[in-house]
Amino acid sequence: MRPVQYPNEKIIEAGTKIQDEGRTVTAFAIRKAIGGGDTKRIAQVWSQHVTEATNDEAPAPDLPVEVEEALAAGRERFGDYLRSIATEINKVSNRAADRRVADMTRELEAAKKQAEAEMADSSAMIEELEDKNRDLENKVDQLEMDLGIACRDRDEHKERADKAETKLSQSGGMEALLKRIEKLEHSSK
């Protein structure tokens, strides 16, 4: 940063001179009076000077006793008035808050009842589906037993059929033998 070319005192002195002349004090007017400088810095220095000068002003003179008493009474009435306004605002805000809480409570209760009803419906539906599932499982078990019996019966019938077929094929030879015996019997008569 480069060094300050125009010290604070010179800026304040120029601003005071402009003010004493009755002109408006601006950073540009001070810059013109001192012959240069950064307007931002000049504005900052002058603003700080004005603030400090305002704070350093002499305190207000004492007021007469009557005025002080009237001021105290007015201050008390004003305080009472402010207190009553604050109390009323507090009442209104409490009623509004209570109403909002009541509304929210009603909404939550309604949502809770809805959720409970849906839960009950879901439980009933689940129970019904579990009952149907048990019934179906029982039917599947029964069908599997019936299928097992049917397979055994089929196997037994197949075995009997095979035996019968075997006998039948053997009886075909027997049939021929019976025919021969018959012929022989007929021929012997």
Side-chain angles (χ1 to χ4, degrees):
M1 223 173 145
R2 49 178 222 212
V4 176
Q5 188 175 358
Y6 301 98
N8 293 357
E9 295 79 25
K10 192 169 185 179
I11 294 171
I12 293 168
E13 184 181 308
T16 305
K17 185 178 179 186
I18 293 170
Q19 197 173 31
D20 290 343
E21 292 172 0
R23 296 184 326 183
T24 304
V25 180
T26 64
F28 291 105
I30 295 173
R31 182 173 187 237
K32 186 176 178 186
I34 61 175
D38 180 24
T39 53
K40 285 184 182 178
R41 183 175 169 277
I42 293 170
Q44 181 183 2
V45 170
W46 181 251
S47 177
Q48 185 178 353
H49 168 71
V50 170
T51 303
E52 288 173 359
T54 305
N55 291 340
D56 291 344
E57 288 180 6
D62 288 337
L63 296 173
V65 174
E66 296 83 9
V67 175
E68 283 290 342
E69 288 173 357
L71 183 61
R75 203 178 289 141
E76 186 177 329
R77 281 194 310 269
F78 186 69
D80 291 343
Y81 178 69
L82 281 178
R83 194 172 297 110
S84 70
I85 289 174
T87 303
E88 189 59 33
I89 289 171
N90 188 40
K91 286 178 186 176
V92 169
S93 64
N94 281 339
R95 282 193 300 262
D98 289 345
R99 188 174 46 252
R100 280 194 300 262
V101 167
D103 290 345
M104 290 177 75
T105 302
R106 275 193 301 276
E107 289 174 10
L108 290 174
E109 283 296 321
K112 181 181 175 187
K113 285 180 183 178
Q114 179 70 25
E116 287 172 349
E118 288 178 8
M119 184 78 96
D121 288 349
S122 298
S123 295
M125 189 181 292
I126 288 171
E127 198 171 306
E128 182 181 321
L129 289 173
E130 285 175 345
D131 289 345
K132 284 182 180 180
N133 190 38
R134 269 192 298 277
D135 290 347
L136 289 173
E137 286 175 352
N138 290 339
K139 284 181 182 179
V140 166
D141 291 344
Q142 183 62 45
L143 288 172
E144 285 176 348
M145 281 180 25
D146 291 349
L147 180 62
I149 291 170
C151 285
R152 272 196 317 271
D153 288 350
R154 181 200 65 206
D155 291 345
E156 284 177 16
H157 290 303
K158 187 174 188 290
E159 193 177 313
R160 281 184 188 170
D162 288 346
K163 284 181 182 178
E165 191 176 315
T166 305
K167 280 185 180 181
L168 188 59
S169 64
Q170 288 175 353
S171 72
M174 286 225 174
E175 208 174 279
L177 185 62
L178 283 175
K179 280 185 185 179
R180 277 185 179 170
I181 292 176
E182 261 181 37
K183 277 185 185 178
L184 287 172
E185 282 179 358
H186 279 293
S187 54
S188 63
K189 284 188 188 176

